[in-house]
Amino acid sequence: MLRAALTQTVNAYPDMPSSVAGLAALRGRLEDVRRANLEHHAGLIGKAAAAGAKIVCLGELFSAPYFALHKDALWLDLAESAETGPSVRAMREAAARFGTIVIAPIYELDDRGGRFNAAVVIDEQGRVLGRYRKTHIPCGTNEQGEFAETFYYGRSEGPCNAPSGEILGGNPYFPVFNTSVGKVGVAICYDRHFEGVVKSLAAAGAEVIFSPAVTFGAKSRRLWELEFLVDACRHRLFIGGSNRLGAEKPWGQEYFGGSHFAGPDGEKLADLSTDARLVISDLDLDALRRPDPSGWALARDARPGLY
C-alpha cells in the first residue's frame, strides 16, 4: 500500500499588493515571494511525511502565485534552473530531510533562455530523477478570467532528462519515472484534457500519474473529477489531481480545490488528511496486478489501428 499526498494551497507570500497596478512594487522582491512559498511547502511536505506519505506532489507553479491570469513581464524573472535553481535546491533538501519523494512543479529557465512549465521528480534521498515539461499550453478566457500561459512559457519538445535507466518508455514527451515506490508519470494541468497523454504514460508502465493544476471555471469544475475517474479506470492506474484552494491577491480569482486521487475501478479515494491544504490517500498498487473486478480486459480486447 502506497500512501501518497497532494497539496492544495495558495500563494503564501503575505505582502502581496491589493491591486494589479500595485504589482510593480514586487520588482526586486520576487525572491521573497519564492522563499515564502518554498518554506510553506517544505512545511506541508513534512506534515505529509509525518502522516506516512512516501510521495508528495506539489501544485502547479507552486513557488509563486498563479501569475498567468494576466500578461506582465515582471514574472519572467521568476524562471529558474531545473537543476540548480532555488526551488529545486530547497525541495531536494526537504525530500532528503523527510525521506519522501517530491514532485516539484516549477517555472523553468533552461540554459538557452527558454521558459517552461516543468515538474522535477526528486527521490527520497534528494536526488533529481528527471523532469517533465508541460506539453499543452492553454491561452484563453472563461466566465471567470484569463489564462495567458503562452506569454510566459513554451511547450515541451521532448524533454526527458535523467540518468540512464530512471526513465521508462519510448515516448520522450511523456516520461515515466522508476521510483522506489512505483512507476510515476506526470501530466500538468491542461495536459489532462488530451486523450493521448494518459494513454502514453500507461503504455510506458505508469502506475500512478500526478496532475498538478491551477484550474477554475464552471466547466473545469464539472469535469475535474470525471476526467480522472474515467482515465484511471480506462487505463487501470491511479491519478492524483492537485488544484489550488482559495483566492490570491491581487486578482481575487477563486480556485475550487477538489484535489483527490482516482483509482483503477473508477472510484474517488478517501482523503485521510485533517489539513485542508493536503490530500492524503492510500493507493493499493497490488490492485493493478489483479484481474479487473468488472471482468473487462480493455488492453487485451483493444483493436489496434482502428483508433
Side-chain angles (χ1 to χ4, degrees):
M1 190 74 68
L2 170 62
R3 183 158 290 184
L6 308 165
T7 61
Q8 57 169 19
T9 186
V10 289
N11 177 33
Y13 182 64
D15 298 322
M16 289 293 291
S18 58
S19 69
V20 172
L23 285 170
L26 291 180
R27 294 195 183 279
R29 298 168 57 193
L30 291 180
E31 286 307 319
D32 295 335
V33 175
R34 192 196 323 265
R35 189 178 304 110
N37 283 289
L38 295 180
E39 292 173 357
H40 175 69
H41 283 84
L44 291 179
I45 292 168
K47 188 162 190 174
K54 296 301 182 184
I55 185 167
V56 181
C57 180
L58 310 180
E60 182 182 18
L61 300 170
F62 80 95
S63 57
Y66 180 65
F67 47 77
L69 291 170
H70 70 165
K71 299 174 183 177
D72 188 339
L74 163 75
W75 301 107
L76 297 176
D77 289 339
L78 265 178
E80 60 183 292
S81 169
E83 287 86 32
T84 61
S87 294
V88 173
R89 291 199 309 269
M91 293 304 101
R92 290 182 67 183
E93 194 278 330
R97 177 168 23 126
F98 297 116
T100 185
I101 296 166
V102 174
I103 298 171
I106 67 166
Y107 185 21
E108 181 192 359
L109 177 67
D110 72 6
D111 56 9
R112 297 183 179 182
R115 289 175 172 81
F116 303 93
N117 184 329
V120 179
V121 180
I122 303 166
D123 74 10
E124 65 273 33
Q125 299 173 12
R127 185 172 62 110
V128 172
L129 298 184
R131 69 184 169 199
Y132 166 72
R133 287 174 175 162
K134 190 173 182 177
T135 304
H136 306 91
I137 313 299
C139 184
T141 59
N142 63 25
E143 78 285 357
Q144 293 185 11
E146 180 182 12
F147 34 93
E149 296 192 16
T150 54
F151 178 81
Y152 293 101
Y153 37 78
R155 63 187 184 185
S156 164
E157 293 299 343
C160 283
N161 175 34
S164 177
E166 298 297 346
I167 284 182
L168 307 174
N171 188 333
Y173 287 89
F174 304 110
V176 171
F177 300 90
N178 195 18
T179 78
S180 62
V181 300
K183 299 170 184 176
V184 172
V186 182
I188 300 175
C189 199
Y190 196 49
D191 287 332
R192 73 187 186 275
H193 301 312
F194 296 84
E195 61 180 348
V197 174
V198 173
K199 181 178 181 180
S200 293
L201 291 167
E207 297 170 301
V208 185
I209 296 172
F210 290 95
S211 185
V214 181
T215 190
F216 57 91
K219 182 174 180 177
S220 182
R221 185 67 187 97
R222 285 196 300 273
L223 295 178
W224 173 246
E225 293 180 7
L226 295 176
E227 287 179 295
F228 291 140
L229 291 172
V230 169
D231 272 340
C233 181
R234 177 176 287 147
H235 297 288
R236 198 139 188 84
L237 42 69
F238 293 91
I239 301 177
S242 167
N243 185 29
R244 298 193 184 201
L245 176 63
E248 296 176 331
K249 291 182 179 180
W251 304 277
Q253 171 59 55
E254 189 76 24
Y255 303 109
F256 58 74
S259 303
H260 67 285
F261 285 94
D265 296 322
E267 74 277 32
K268 181 179 175 181
L269 303 188
D271 176 12
L272 307 176
S273 178
T274 58
D275 188 329
R277 302 169 301 172
L278 286 170
V279 168
I280 300 174
S281 295
D282 286 334
L283 316 185
D284 181 8
L285 298 187
D286 288 340
L288 306 182
R289 288 169 275 282
R290 295 194 288 266
D292 190 319
S294 68
W296 306 344
L298 301 185
R300 182 197 68 192
D301 297 335
R303 296 181 61 187
L306 291 187
Y307 35 72

